Amino acid sequence: MATASRPHLLRSALALLPSRRRAASAQAALAAQFDQQLLDAADAAVSAARRTLYDTVWPQLPPRERLSAFGVVSVEDVTDLMYRRHGIVAIPPERAAAALRARYEARSGRIDLHTDAYSH
């Protein structure tokens, strides 16, 4: 009787393998989605900081001072946007900082923005 149940156990164990693969690929997909949401939030934070600089700060400054005016985009801006857009609260600051650094550099943030993303 023990030999009759072994093929059944083997089939059951083999049947679990694809579901584990599916679970791993689902986790990878969720991680990729989270990373993309972080990048999108960082993009939105950079855009908002630039909008504030050019629409609110610049018009109040004399023309000579406009060249030295900088906006500020922070890691907290990214985490706030993640909460407001996606309802995600627990965001590791180092992951938000990495996303902000990536988008800050890709969008030439050094030209007109300061960030705290490099101190995290």
Side-chain angles (χ1 to χ4, degrees):
M1 187 163 216
T3 56
S5 64
R6 285 187 188 202
H8 177 68
L9 288 175
L10 183 59
R11 272 184 271 144
S12 298
L14 291 175
L16 291 176
L17 287 178
S19 66
R20 287 185 181 167
R21 286 187 197 136
R22 281 193 303 267
S25 67
Q27 286 177 340
L30 284 174
Q33 180 184 11
F34 179 76
D35 290 340
Q36 187 59 51
Q37 289 171 336
L38 267 177
L39 290 172
D40 292 345
D43 260 336
V46 168
S47 294
R50 282 197 167 130
R51 236 184 340 271
T52 300
L53 174 65
Y54 294 123
D55 294 346
T56 307
V57 176
W58 267 41
Q60 298 174 3
L61 295 174
R64 287 186 180 184
E65 291 181 22
R66 289 179 184 172
L67 295 175
S68 61
F70 280 84
V72 177
V73 60
S74 68
V75 173
E76 186 177 343
D77 296 337
V78 176
T79 57
D80 287 346
L81 282 168
M82 283 292 286
Y83 174 70
R84 283 190 272 142
R85 289 183 171 193
H86 306 290
I88 300 173
V89 179
I91 301 162
E94 57 277 353
R95 299 249 337 244
L100 181 55
R101 282 191 301 269
R103 298 316 302 152
Y104 178 83
E105 292 169 4
R107 297 188 59 198
S108 304
R110 293 179 194 258
I111 293 173
D112 55 359
L113 298 173
H114 292 296
T115 186
D116 64 348
Y118 292 97
S119 63
H120 285 269

